[in-house]
Amino acid sequence: MLLKNIKLMGGAGVDVRILGAHIVQIAPSLCPTEGEKVLEGKGLTLLPSLVDLGVFLHNLQATTYAALKAQAFKGGVGTLMGIDLEPLYSLHEPEMQPLDFKEAEDNLENTTAKEAQKAKDPICLHPLNAKQRLQNLSKIVSSLSSPACLYIYNLEGQKLLPALDYAKMLNLPLVCGVRGYEGRPTLGIADSTPLAYKLGLPSVSPLIQIKEVGKYASMALHIQRDTMLDSVVEMDALNIAASLKSLGAPLFVQTPLHHLILTESVYRTYEPRFKILPPLQSKEKQKALHKALKGGQIDMLTSLHYTRPPKAQDIFEEAPFGMHCIESSFSLAYTYLVQTGLVSLERLIELMASTPAKFLRLNCGAVQEGKEARLMLVDLGGEEVVQNQHSPYYKESLKGVVRLVLQGEDIVYGA
């Protein structure tokens, strides 16, 4: 396939040749070979499609994953990692007794893992199953055809150490959840601020995230295993991560896009579409996050998309956590981060494509010869109104419209 008349990120006009799954040539005025498909770029900007490592699944059905992928492609997300919520929602504490493999489950029996491998999406493995037993990760990893990582959440002592041994033995990067009261939607709804008190909303102490970040960052320094801290929004936690990085900890810090855009003031409406974990923060804390973003303390951004939309919940406190707007990922980031001058387009692609790909050792995230052709054509001057009623950005007009998404020579979104 030959892409004609496109622009690269810096504005240069080129043509790009794709053969199979990879970019094989980038140069001006390329001529099509005999029988080669030609796609007219019409002066649109060619970017690597986004890589989102913070997407949560309320079930593991193939139809759920297929619908998610369609939404993701619309938002320019070509690669995503779906994280099963069930083990996180378990209210059972890990049992402090000898490990038992008799109850081990094979994650590949569910359809989501199979669909993810077909899409060449990374697989997120939980060390414990829903019964809080250590899974037979060696067996599971040996049958995978996609890159994988190990998701650590609320683990201590006797359960944490074997999980870390597995990560080292199987060469798996670690993703550590530090969001707060996952699985308990009536707890920790708001940040600890006067507004939470005024609105009568249960609040969560910043110390919960700060403690978890300190624990996992120190762990990464000790075991020297690539570790991503997921959904970090507290400045003290960001500073701890920066300190441990300076000591040699191989850390990647991921922050939800929404905490850079929205503030806790939206909670005044009690609308479930704004309910997110970790909770949104004050304007002052958001300004500090903006400064941290500019200063390089944040490595990756995520949509923090949950597949279960907040269905017409009248009671805000009882609604499930989770944003529902992955179909606007690029436009949101471009409108609120690039157009406002917080980051450049080049930096945005680092945050949402190149660095997530690097963390999971994926050969994508850049428009370069030899890289996988996971790409999108974007109309940077275009505008589109958000139509998803479950989105916190419903009816907003966003700039930077994704027109086409490619996976190799396949057009997976757009005409």
Side-chain angles (χ1 to χ4, degrees):
M1 174 185 281
L2 183 61
L3 307 182
K4 296 285 292 181
N5 302 317
I6 60 169
K7 293 179 183 177
L8 297 180
M9 204 155 25
V14 297
D15 298 340
V16 174
R17 174 166 281 124
I18 299 170
L19 184 61
H22 294 85
I23 301 169
V24 295
Q25 194 174 10
I26 302 175
S29 306
L30 293 174
C31 295
T33 59
E34 185 177 353
E36 185 175 34
K37 181 179 179 180
V38 177
L39 184 64
E40 175 57 50
K42 302 177 182 178
L44 296 175
T45 301
L46 185 69
L47 301 171
S49 58
L50 308 183
V51 180
D52 194 333
L53 306 185
V55 180
F56 291 83
L57 308 172
H58 74 285
N59 68 45
L60 300 179
Q61 298 173 5
T63 52
T64 297
Y65 201 79
L68 170 64
K69 288 294 288 185
Q71 285 181 294
F73 287 145
K74 187 176 187 297
V77 179
T79 306
L80 63 85
M81 184 172 72
I83 303 167
D84 182 13
L85 280 168
E86 185 181 5
L88 309 186
Y89 277 15
S90 172
L91 298 180
H92 302 293
E93 293 299 322
E95 297 177 17
M96 301 303 291
Q97 60 184 28
L99 305 177
D100 182 0
F101 288 98
K102 293 181 181 179
E103 297 182 42
E105 296 175 351
D106 185 346
N107 273 4
L108 295 187
E109 289 303 312
N110 67 65
T111 53
T112 288
K114 293 179 181 178
E115 292 298 312
Q117 289 186 96
K118 288 179 187 176
K120 296 184 178 180
D121 283 337
I123 305 296
C124 180
L125 301 173
H126 291 279
L128 304 183
N129 58 24
K131 297 179 181 178
Q132 299 298 298
R133 294 288 193 173
L134 189 68
Q135 301 200 85
N136 193 339
L137 296 174
S138 293
K139 175 186 175 184
I140 296 172
V141 171
S142 67
S143 58
L144 291 177
S145 59
S146 292
C149 73
L150 196 60
Y151 194 91
I152 304 293
Y153 176 78
N154 193 29
L155 285 188
E156 303 284 351
Q158 192 177 355
K159 297 295 182 180
L160 177 60
L161 294 177
L164 298 181
D165 288 340
Y166 259 123
K168 289 188 286 186
M169 177 178 69
L170 301 173
N171 194 27
L172 296 174
L174 294 165
V175 176
C176 300
V178 296
R179 285 182 308 285
Y181 293 115
E182 193 70 74
R184 298 161 175 83
T186 58
L187 297 176
I189 294 173
D191 199 18
S192 295
T193 64
L195 180 62
Y197 180 79
K198 182 178 180 181
L199 298 178
L201 295 175
S203 63
V204 57
S205 169
L207 286 173
I208 291 180
Q209 180 166 110
I210 293 167
K211 179 206 50 125
E212 291 297 289
V213 166
K215 177 177 72 176
Y216 292 131
S218 300
M219 177 192 77
L221 178 64
H222 176 69
I223 67 172
Q224 286 297 301
R225 175 69 42 200
D226 283 351
T227 300
M228 187 253 277
L229 303 173
D230 180 33
S231 299
V232 182
V233 298
E234 295 293 342
M235 279 309 306
D236 284 346
L238 284 167
N239 291 334
I240 289 171
S243 296
L244 270 294
K245 275 187 185 181
S246 70
L247 294 175
L251 288 172
F252 295 76
V253 175
Q254 178 166 271
T255 295
L257 179 61
H258 313 292
H259 290 72
L260 299 165
I261 300 173
L262 302 170
T263 67
E264 63 176 358
S265 62
V266 298
Y267 291 154
R268 295 179 184 276
T269 67
Y270 292 96
E271 289 191 56
R273 64 194 175 105
F274 294 117
K275 191 173 179 181
I276 187 173
L277 193 67
L280 296 170
Q281 299 179 313
S282 67
K283 190 66 177 177
E284 291 71 25
K285 281 192 172 183
Q286 187 186 72
K287 288 179 180 178
L289 269 185
H290 288 173
K291 185 177 179 181
L293 180 68
K294 287 183 175 182
Q297 286 183 266
I298 296 171
D299 302 300
M300 298 186 277
L301 298 177
T302 175
S303 68
L304 202 63
H305 180 90
Y306 281 52
T307 58
R308 175 168 38 193
K311 302 176 183 177
Q313 295 276 359
D314 292 328
I315 303 176
F316 178 74
E317 291 87 342
E318 294 183 0
F321 289 113
M323 292 293 189
H324 202 255
C325 55
I326 197 170
E327 74 278 3
S328 302
S329 289
F330 177 78
S331 297
L332 279 170
Y334 185 74
T335 299
Y336 284 101
L337 303 186
V338 177
Q339 290 285 294
T340 60
L342 269 178
V343 298
S344 65
L345 180 58
E346 289 79 5
R347 176 63 176 147
L348 181 68
I349 294 303
E350 285 182 15
L351 289 162
M352 300 188 75
S354 307
T355 304
K358 176 185 176 183
F359 171 69
L360 279 185
R361 308 157 194 164
L362 306 175
N363 185 30
C364 60
V367 181
Q368 296 175 5
E369 293 179 5
K371 291 287 187 181
E372 286 189 29
R374 297 193 170 215
L375 307 168
M376 59 179 172
L377 279 172
V378 179
D379 180 1
L380 295 179
E383 292 190 37
E384 198 167 63
V385 176
V386 178
Q387 301 296 330
N388 180 2
Q389 295 183 23
H390 297 302
S391 170
Y393 309 98
Y394 177 50
K395 291 187 177 181
E396 286 194 30
S397 181
L398 303 176
K399 296 180 180 180
V401 180
V402 177
R403 300 296 185 191
L404 191 111
V405 178
L406 290 166
Q407 303 280 64
E409 296 186 52
D410 297 328
I411 299 173
V412 294
Y413 172 77

PDB file of all heavy atoms in Angstrom, residues 181 188-198 201-209 233-234 264 267 278-282 284-285:
ATOM      1  N   TYR A 181      -9.974   3.068  46.017  1.00  0.00           N
ATOM      2  CA  TYR A 181     -10.994   2.087  46.411  1.00  0.00           C
ATOM      3  C   TYR A 181     -11.644   1.425  45.200  1.00  0.00           C
ATOM      4  O   TYR A 181     -12.843   1.562  44.957  1.00  0.00           O
ATOM      5  CB  TYR A 181     -12.064   2.756  47.264  1.00  0.00           C
ATOM      6  CG  TYR A 181     -11.591   3.222  48.623  1.00  0.00           C
ATOM      7  CD1 TYR A 181     -11.566   4.568  48.946  1.00  0.00           C
ATOM      8  CD2 TYR A 181     -11.179   2.298  49.576  1.00  0.00           C
ATOM      9  CE1 TYR A 181     -11.140   4.997  50.196  1.00  0.00           C
ATOM     10  CE2 TYR A 181     -10.750   2.709  50.824  1.00  0.00           C
ATOM     11  CZ  TYR A 181     -10.732   4.063  51.128  1.00  0.00           C
ATOM     12  OH  TYR A 181     -10.313   4.475  52.359  1.00  0.00           O
ATOM     13  N   GLY A 188     -14.588   6.734  48.720  1.00  0.00           N
ATOM     14  CA  GLY A 188     -13.554   7.487  48.019  1.00  0.00           C
ATOM     15  C   GLY A 188     -14.013   8.140  46.745  1.00  0.00           C
ATOM     16  O   GLY A 188     -13.311   8.129  45.737  1.00  0.00           O
ATOM     17  N   ILE A 189     -15.212   8.747  46.755  1.00  0.00           N
ATOM     18  CA  ILE A 189     -15.776   9.329  45.545  1.00  0.00           C
ATOM     19  C   ILE A 189     -15.116  10.647  45.187  1.00  0.00           C
ATOM     20  O   ILE A 189     -14.957  10.977  44.010  1.00  0.00           O
ATOM     21  CB  ILE A 189     -17.301   9.520  45.727  1.00  0.00           C
ATOM     22  CG1 ILE A 189     -17.971   8.140  45.850  1.00  0.00           C
ATOM     23  CG2 ILE A 189     -17.896  10.309  44.580  1.00  0.00           C
ATOM     24  CD1 ILE A 189     -19.439   8.233  46.203  1.00  0.00           C
ATOM     25  N   ALA A 190     -14.714  11.411  46.172  1.00  0.00           N
ATOM     26  CA  ALA A 190     -14.149  12.736  45.934  1.00  0.00           C
ATOM     27  C   ALA A 190     -12.815  12.883  46.655  1.00  0.00           C
ATOM     28  O   ALA A 190     -12.483  12.119  47.564  1.00  0.00           O
ATOM     29  CB  ALA A 190     -15.122  13.811  46.404  1.00  0.00           C
ATOM     30  N   ASP A 191     -12.042  13.881  46.217  1.00  0.00           N
ATOM     31  CA  ASP A 191     -10.791  14.204  46.884  1.00  0.00           C
ATOM     32  C   ASP A 191     -11.105  14.855  48.241  1.00  0.00           C
ATOM     33  O   ASP A 191     -12.200  15.376  48.455  1.00  0.00           O
ATOM     34  CB  ASP A 191      -9.992  15.170  45.999  1.00  0.00           C
ATOM     35  CG  ASP A 191      -8.520  15.198  46.370  1.00  0.00           C
ATOM     36  OD1 ASP A 191      -8.060  14.269  47.051  1.00  0.00           O
ATOM     37  OD2 ASP A 191      -7.838  16.148  45.954  1.00  0.00           O
ATOM     38  N   SER A 192     -10.153  14.834  49.143  1.00  0.00           N
ATOM     39  CA  SER A 192     -10.360  15.415  50.482  1.00  0.00           C
ATOM     40  C   SER A 192     -10.254  16.941  50.412  1.00  0.00           C
ATOM     41  O   SER A 192      -9.191  17.520  50.635  1.00  0.00           O
ATOM     42  CB  SER A 192      -9.317  14.861  51.461  1.00  0.00           C
ATOM     43  OG  SER A 192      -9.494  13.488  51.645  1.00  0.00           O
ATOM     44  N   THR A 193     -11.367  17.571  50.079  1.00  0.00           N
ATOM     45  CA  THR A 193     -11.403  19.028  49.939  1.00  0.00           C
ATOM     46  C   THR A 193     -12.671  19.570  50.586  1.00  0.00           C
ATOM     47  O   THR A 193     -13.617  18.816  50.860  1.00  0.00           O
ATOM     48  CB  THR A 193     -11.404  19.438  48.457  1.00  0.00           C
ATOM     49  OG1 THR A 193     -12.618  18.962  47.839  1.00  0.00           O
ATOM     50  CG2 THR A 193     -10.205  18.866  47.717  1.00  0.00           C
ATOM     51  N   PRO A 194     -12.722  20.883  50.823  1.00  0.00           N
ATOM     52  CA  PRO A 194     -13.952  21.483  51.359  1.00  0.00           C
ATOM     53  C   PRO A 194     -15.170  21.235  50.478  1.00  0.00           C
ATOM     54  O   PRO A 194     -16.284  21.108  50.997  1.00  0.00           O
ATOM     55  CB  PRO A 194     -13.603  22.980  51.419  1.00  0.00           C
ATOM     56  CG  PRO A 194     -12.123  23.010  51.577  1.00  0.00           C
ATOM     57  CD  PRO A 194     -11.613  21.863  50.769  1.00  0.00           C
ATOM     58  N   LEU A 195     -14.962  21.123  49.160  1.00  0.00           N
ATOM     59  CA  LEU A 195     -16.102  20.884  48.272  1.00  0.00           C
ATOM     60  C   LEU A 195     -16.733  19.528  48.541  1.00  0.00           C
ATOM     61  O   LEU A 195     -17.962  19.395  48.543  1.00  0.00           O
ATOM     62  CB  LEU A 195     -15.674  20.981  46.806  1.00  0.00           C
ATOM     63  CG  LEU A 195     -16.796  20.756  45.788  1.00  0.00           C
ATOM     64  CD1 LEU A 195     -17.887  21.815  45.934  1.00  0.00           C
ATOM     65  CD2 LEU A 195     -16.249  20.753  44.364  1.00  0.00           C
ATOM     66  N   ALA A 196     -15.909  18.512  48.777  1.00  0.00           N
ATOM     67  CA  ALA A 196     -16.443  17.176  49.076  1.00  0.00           C
ATOM     68  C   ALA A 196     -17.307  17.224  50.336  1.00  0.00           C
ATOM     69  O   ALA A 196     -18.391  16.618  50.387  1.00  0.00           O
ATOM     70  CB  ALA A 196     -15.298  16.185  49.253  1.00  0.00           C
ATOM     71  N   TYR A 197     -16.843  17.954  51.333  1.00  0.00           N
ATOM     72  CA  TYR A 197     -17.608  18.101  52.578  1.00  0.00           C
ATOM     73  C   TYR A 197     -18.927  18.825  52.306  1.00  0.00           C
ATOM     74  O   TYR A 197     -19.988  18.426  52.790  1.00  0.00           O
ATOM     75  CB  TYR A 197     -16.775  18.864  53.599  1.00  0.00           C
ATOM     76  CG  TYR A 197     -17.463  19.088  54.921  1.00  0.00           C
ATOM     77  CD1 TYR A 197     -17.544  18.076  55.866  1.00  0.00           C
ATOM     78  CD2 TYR A 197     -18.053  20.316  55.206  1.00  0.00           C
ATOM     79  CE1 TYR A 197     -18.186  18.274  57.083  1.00  0.00           C
ATOM     80  CE2 TYR A 197     -18.697  20.533  56.411  1.00  0.00           C
ATOM     81  CZ  TYR A 197     -18.765  19.506  57.351  1.00  0.00           C
ATOM     82  OH  TYR A 197     -19.406  19.715  58.540  1.00  0.00           O
ATOM     83  N   LYS A 198     -18.843  19.869  51.515  1.00  0.00           N
ATOM     84  CA  LYS A 198     -20.035  20.658  51.205  1.00  0.00           C
ATOM     85  C   LYS A 198     -21.072  19.838  50.442  1.00  0.00           C
ATOM     86  O   LYS A 198     -22.284  19.953  50.691  1.00  0.00           O
ATOM     87  CB  LYS A 198     -19.640  21.882  50.381  1.00  0.00           C
ATOM     88  CG  LYS A 198     -20.791  22.805  50.026  1.00  0.00           C
ATOM     89  CD  LYS A 198     -20.305  24.013  49.250  1.00  0.00           C
ATOM     90  CE  LYS A 198     -21.477  24.945  48.881  1.00  0.00           C
ATOM     91  NZ  LYS A 198     -20.989  26.124  48.103  1.00  0.00           N
ATOM     92  N   LEU A 201     -20.057  14.204  49.976  1.00  0.00           N
ATOM     93  CA  LEU A 201     -19.513  13.036  49.271  1.00  0.00           C
ATOM     94  C   LEU A 201     -18.380  12.397  50.077  1.00  0.00           C
ATOM     95  O   LEU A 201     -17.527  13.101  50.614  1.00  0.00           O
ATOM     96  CB  LEU A 201     -18.980  13.452  47.896  1.00  0.00           C
ATOM     97  CG  LEU A 201     -20.020  13.966  46.894  1.00  0.00           C
ATOM     98  CD1 LEU A 201     -19.328  14.449  45.621  1.00  0.00           C
ATOM     99  CD2 LEU A 201     -21.040  12.879  46.568  1.00  0.00           C
ATOM    100  N   PRO A 202     -18.352  11.067  50.168  1.00  0.00           N
ATOM    101  CA  PRO A 202     -17.237  10.389  50.842  1.00  0.00           C
ATOM    102  C   PRO A 202     -15.929  10.733  50.135  1.00  0.00           C
ATOM    103  O   PRO A 202     -15.859  10.733  48.906  1.00  0.00           O
ATOM    104  CB  PRO A 202     -17.569   8.900  50.682  1.00  0.00           C
ATOM    105  CG  PRO A 202     -19.019   8.855  50.351  1.00  0.00           C
ATOM    106  CD  PRO A 202     -19.345  10.112  49.623  1.00  0.00           C
ATOM    107  N   SER A 203     -14.902  11.030  50.904  1.00  0.00           N
ATOM    108  CA  SER A 203     -13.635  11.440  50.309  1.00  0.00           C
ATOM    109  C   SER A 203     -12.554  10.395  50.549  1.00  0.00           C
ATOM    110  O   SER A 203     -12.697   9.508  51.385  1.00  0.00           O
ATOM    111  CB  SER A 203     -13.196  12.790  50.876  1.00  0.00           C
ATOM    112  OG  SER A 203     -12.972  12.690  52.267  1.00  0.00           O
ATOM    113  N   VAL A 204     -11.466  10.511  49.773  1.00  0.00           N
ATOM    114  CA  VAL A 204     -10.343   9.592  49.898  1.00  0.00           C
ATOM    115  C   VAL A 204      -9.101  10.403  50.214  1.00  0.00           C
ATOM    116  O   VAL A 204      -8.852  11.460  49.620  1.00  0.00           O
ATOM    117  CB  VAL A 204     -10.159   8.764  48.600  1.00  0.00           C
ATOM    118  CG1 VAL A 204      -9.970   9.653  47.388  1.00  0.00           C
ATOM    119  CG2 VAL A 204      -9.000   7.795  48.737  1.00  0.00           C
ATOM    120  N   SER A 205      -8.314   9.930  51.143  1.00  0.00           N
ATOM    121  CA  SER A 205      -7.101  10.624  51.537  1.00  0.00           C
ATOM    122  C   SER A 205      -6.013  10.447  50.476  1.00  0.00           C
ATOM    123  O   SER A 205      -5.829   9.348  49.933  1.00  0.00           O
ATOM    124  CB  SER A 205      -6.584  10.081  52.875  1.00  0.00           C
ATOM    125  OG  SER A 205      -5.282  10.574  53.145  1.00  0.00           O
ATOM    126  N   PRO A 206      -5.259  11.506  50.189  1.00  0.00           N
ATOM    127  CA  PRO A 206      -4.132  11.383  49.254  1.00  0.00           C
ATOM    128  C   PRO A 206      -3.095  10.368  49.724  1.00  0.00           C
ATOM    129  O   PRO A 206      -2.344   9.831  48.921  1.00  0.00           O
ATOM    130  CB  PRO A 206      -3.528  12.794  49.232  1.00  0.00           C
ATOM    131  CG  PRO A 206      -4.612  13.701  49.699  1.00  0.00           C
ATOM    132  CD  PRO A 206      -5.430  12.891  50.666  1.00  0.00           C
ATOM    133  N   LEU A 207      -3.078  10.098  51.034  1.00  0.00           N
ATOM    134  CA  LEU A 207      -2.086   9.171  51.585  1.00  0.00           C
ATOM    135  C   LEU A 207      -2.212   7.770  51.003  1.00  0.00           C
ATOM    136  O   LEU A 207      -1.224   7.027  50.947  1.00  0.00           O
ATOM    137  CB  LEU A 207      -2.202   9.109  53.108  1.00  0.00           C
ATOM    138  CG  LEU A 207      -1.658  10.328  53.867  1.00  0.00           C
ATOM    139  CD1 LEU A 207      -1.978  10.214  55.341  1.00  0.00           C
ATOM    140  CD2 LEU A 207      -0.166  10.471  53.642  1.00  0.00           C
ATOM    141  N   ILE A 208      -3.418   7.391  50.582  1.00  0.00           N
ATOM    142  CA  ILE A 208      -3.600   6.050  50.003  1.00  0.00           C
ATOM    143  C   ILE A 208      -2.726   5.892  48.767  1.00  0.00           C
ATOM    144  O   ILE A 208      -1.983   4.927  48.615  1.00  0.00           O
ATOM    145  CB  ILE A 208      -5.082   5.793  49.692  1.00  0.00           C
ATOM    146  CG1 ILE A 208      -5.881   5.675  50.991  1.00  0.00           C
ATOM    147  CG2 ILE A 208      -5.248   4.532  48.842  1.00  0.00           C
ATOM    148  CD1 ILE A 208      -7.348   5.418  50.798  1.00  0.00           C
ATOM    149  N   GLN A 209      -2.803   6.869  47.851  1.00  0.00           N
ATOM    150  CA  GLN A 209      -1.977   6.784  46.648  1.00  0.00           C
ATOM    151  C   GLN A 209      -0.503   6.998  46.960  1.00  0.00           C
ATOM    152  O   GLN A 209       0.363   6.295  46.419  1.00  0.00           O
ATOM    153  CB  GLN A 209      -2.430   7.807  45.605  1.00  0.00           C
ATOM    154  CG  GLN A 209      -1.589   7.747  44.342  1.00  0.00           C
ATOM    155  CD  GLN A 209      -2.193   8.474  43.176  1.00  0.00           C
ATOM    156  OE1 GLN A 209      -1.679   9.512  42.785  1.00  0.00           O
ATOM    157  NE2 GLN A 209      -3.265   7.950  42.604  1.00  0.00           N
ATOM    158  N   VAL A 233      -1.871  10.898  40.367  1.00  0.00           N
ATOM    159  CA  VAL A 233      -2.357  12.281  40.282  1.00  0.00           C
ATOM    160  C   VAL A 233      -1.909  13.145  41.456  1.00  0.00           C
ATOM    161  O   VAL A 233      -2.040  14.367  41.409  1.00  0.00           O
ATOM    162  CB  VAL A 233      -3.899  12.326  40.181  1.00  0.00           C
ATOM    163  CG1 VAL A 233      -4.374  11.620  38.914  1.00  0.00           C
ATOM    164  CG2 VAL A 233      -4.557  11.716  41.419  1.00  0.00           C
ATOM    165  N   GLU A 234      -1.396  12.542  42.516  1.00  0.00           N
ATOM    166  CA  GLU A 234      -0.968  13.295  43.687  1.00  0.00           C
ATOM    167  C   GLU A 234       0.465  13.783  43.513  1.00  0.00           C
ATOM    168  O   GLU A 234       1.359  13.007  43.148  1.00  0.00           O
ATOM    169  CB  GLU A 234      -1.066  12.436  44.951  1.00  0.00           C
ATOM    170  CG  GLU A 234      -2.482  12.027  45.332  1.00  0.00           C
ATOM    171  CD  GLU A 234      -3.331  13.216  45.750  1.00  0.00           C
ATOM    172  OE1 GLU A 234      -2.753  14.278  46.080  1.00  0.00           O
ATOM    173  OE2 GLU A 234      -4.564  13.086  45.747  1.00  0.00           O
ATOM    174  N   GLU A 264     -12.734  19.093  40.134  1.00  0.00           N
ATOM    175  CA  GLU A 264     -13.789  18.584  41.004  1.00  0.00           C
ATOM    176  C   GLU A 264     -15.073  19.398  40.930  1.00  0.00           C
ATOM    177  O   GLU A 264     -16.125  18.944  41.395  1.00  0.00           O
ATOM    178  CB  GLU A 264     -13.300  18.549  42.450  1.00  0.00           C
ATOM    179  CG  GLU A 264     -12.964  19.943  43.006  1.00  0.00           C
ATOM    180  CD  GLU A 264     -12.566  19.929  44.458  1.00  0.00           C
ATOM    181  OE1 GLU A 264     -12.579  18.851  45.088  1.00  0.00           O
ATOM    182  OE2 GLU A 264     -12.245  21.023  44.985  1.00  0.00           O
ATOM    183  N   TYR A 267     -18.461  17.872  40.006  1.00  0.00           N
ATOM    184  CA  TYR A 267     -19.223  17.041  40.940  1.00  0.00           C
ATOM    185  C   TYR A 267     -20.469  17.757  41.469  1.00  0.00           C
ATOM    186  O   TYR A 267     -21.360  17.113  42.018  1.00  0.00           O
ATOM    187  CB  TYR A 267     -18.351  16.607  42.117  1.00  0.00           C
ATOM    188  CG  TYR A 267     -17.254  15.624  41.763  1.00  0.00           C
ATOM    189  CD1 TYR A 267     -16.097  15.550  42.521  1.00  0.00           C
ATOM    190  CD2 TYR A 267     -17.384  14.756  40.683  1.00  0.00           C
ATOM    191  CE1 TYR A 267     -15.081  14.647  42.219  1.00  0.00           C
ATOM    192  CE2 TYR A 267     -16.393  13.862  40.365  1.00  0.00           C
ATOM    193  CZ  TYR A 267     -15.242  13.806  41.131  1.00  0.00           C
ATOM    194  OH  TYR A 267     -14.254  12.911  40.824  1.00  0.00           O
ATOM    195  N   PRO A 278      -8.741   7.645  40.235  1.00  0.00           N
ATOM    196  CA  PRO A 278      -8.860   8.520  41.401  1.00  0.00           C
ATOM    197  C   PRO A 278      -9.754   9.719  41.120  1.00  0.00           C
ATOM    198  O   PRO A 278      -9.944  10.110  39.964  1.00  0.00           O
ATOM    199  CB  PRO A 278      -7.416   8.962  41.655  1.00  0.00           C
ATOM    200  CG  PRO A 278      -6.734   8.816  40.340  1.00  0.00           C
ATOM    201  CD  PRO A 278      -7.378   7.654  39.668  1.00  0.00           C
ATOM    202  N   PRO A 279     -10.320  10.317  42.184  1.00  0.00           N
ATOM    203  CA  PRO A 279     -11.259  11.425  41.998  1.00  0.00           C
ATOM    204  C   PRO A 279     -10.595  12.639  41.349  1.00  0.00           C
ATOM    205  O   PRO A 279      -9.376  12.834  41.451  1.00  0.00           O
ATOM    206  CB  PRO A 279     -11.702  11.759  43.434  1.00  0.00           C
ATOM    207  CG  PRO A 279     -11.359  10.555  44.245  1.00  0.00           C
ATOM    208  CD  PRO A 279     -10.151   9.962  43.607  1.00  0.00           C
ATOM    209  N   LEU A 280     -11.416  13.439  40.691  1.00  0.00           N
ATOM    210  CA  LEU A 280     -10.934  14.703  40.147  1.00  0.00           C
ATOM    211  C   LEU A 280     -10.527  15.627  41.292  1.00  0.00           C
ATOM    212  O   LEU A 280     -11.000  15.486  42.421  1.00  0.00           O
ATOM    213  CB  LEU A 280     -12.019  15.347  39.286  1.00  0.00           C
ATOM    214  CG  LEU A 280     -12.396  14.552  38.032  1.00  0.00           C
ATOM    215  CD1 LEU A 280     -13.642  15.143  37.387  1.00  0.00           C
ATOM    216  CD2 LEU A 280     -11.247  14.499  37.039  1.00  0.00           C
ATOM    217  N   GLN A 281      -9.674  16.599  40.976  1.00  0.00           N
ATOM    218  CA  GLN A 281      -9.077  17.416  42.030  1.00  0.00           C
ATOM    219  C   GLN A 281      -9.420  18.894  41.874  1.00  0.00           C
ATOM    220  O   GLN A 281     -10.131  19.294  40.950  1.00  0.00           O
ATOM    221  CB  GLN A 281      -7.566  17.204  42.001  1.00  0.00           C
ATOM    222  CG  GLN A 281      -7.158  15.762  42.257  1.00  0.00           C
ATOM    223  CD  GLN A 281      -5.649  15.573  42.187  1.00  0.00           C
ATOM    224  OE1 GLN A 281      -4.992  16.042  41.272  1.00  0.00           O
ATOM    225  NE2 GLN A 281      -5.101  14.896  43.183  1.00  0.00           N
ATOM    226  N   SER A 282      -8.907  19.675  42.784  1.00  0.00           N
ATOM    227  CA  SER A 282      -9.143  21.120  42.763  1.00  0.00           C
ATOM    228  C   SER A 282      -8.358  21.777  41.628  1.00  0.00           C
ATOM    229  O   SER A 282      -7.448  21.178  41.045  1.00  0.00           O
ATOM    230  CB  SER A 282      -8.703  21.745  44.093  1.00  0.00           C
ATOM    231  OG  SER A 282      -7.289  21.641  44.231  1.00  0.00           O
ATOM    232  N   GLU A 284      -6.258  24.141  41.912  1.00  0.00           N
ATOM    233  CA  GLU A 284      -4.879  24.329  42.351  1.00  0.00           C
ATOM    234  C   GLU A 284      -4.048  23.067  42.110  1.00  0.00           C
ATOM    235  O   GLU A 284      -2.911  23.133  41.629  1.00  0.00           O
ATOM    236  CB  GLU A 284      -4.829  24.703  43.836  1.00  0.00           C
ATOM    237  CG  GLU A 284      -5.367  26.085  44.167  1.00  0.00           C
ATOM    238  CD  GLU A 284      -6.894  26.193  44.013  1.00  0.00           C
ATOM    239  OE1 GLU A 284      -7.576  25.141  44.119  1.00  0.00           O
ATOM    240  OE2 GLU A 284      -7.381  27.310  43.768  1.00  0.00           O
ATOM    241  N   LYS A 285      -4.619  21.912  42.448  1.00  0.00           N
ATOM    242  CA  LYS A 285      -3.900  20.661  42.216  1.00  0.00           C
ATOM    243  C   LYS A 285      -3.739  20.400  40.721  1.00  0.00           C
ATOM    244  O   LYS A 285      -2.720  19.850  40.283  1.00  0.00           O
ATOM    245  CB  LYS A 285      -4.648  19.498  42.877  1.00  0.00           C
ATOM    246  CG  LYS A 285      -4.427  19.383  44.377  1.00  0.00           C
ATOM    247  CD  LYS A 285      -4.961  18.058  44.897  1.00  0.00           C
ATOM    248  CE  LYS A 285      -4.576  17.824  46.345  1.00  0.00           C
ATOM    249  NZ  LYS A 285      -5.024  16.509  46.831  1.00  0.00           N
TER     250      LYS A 285
END
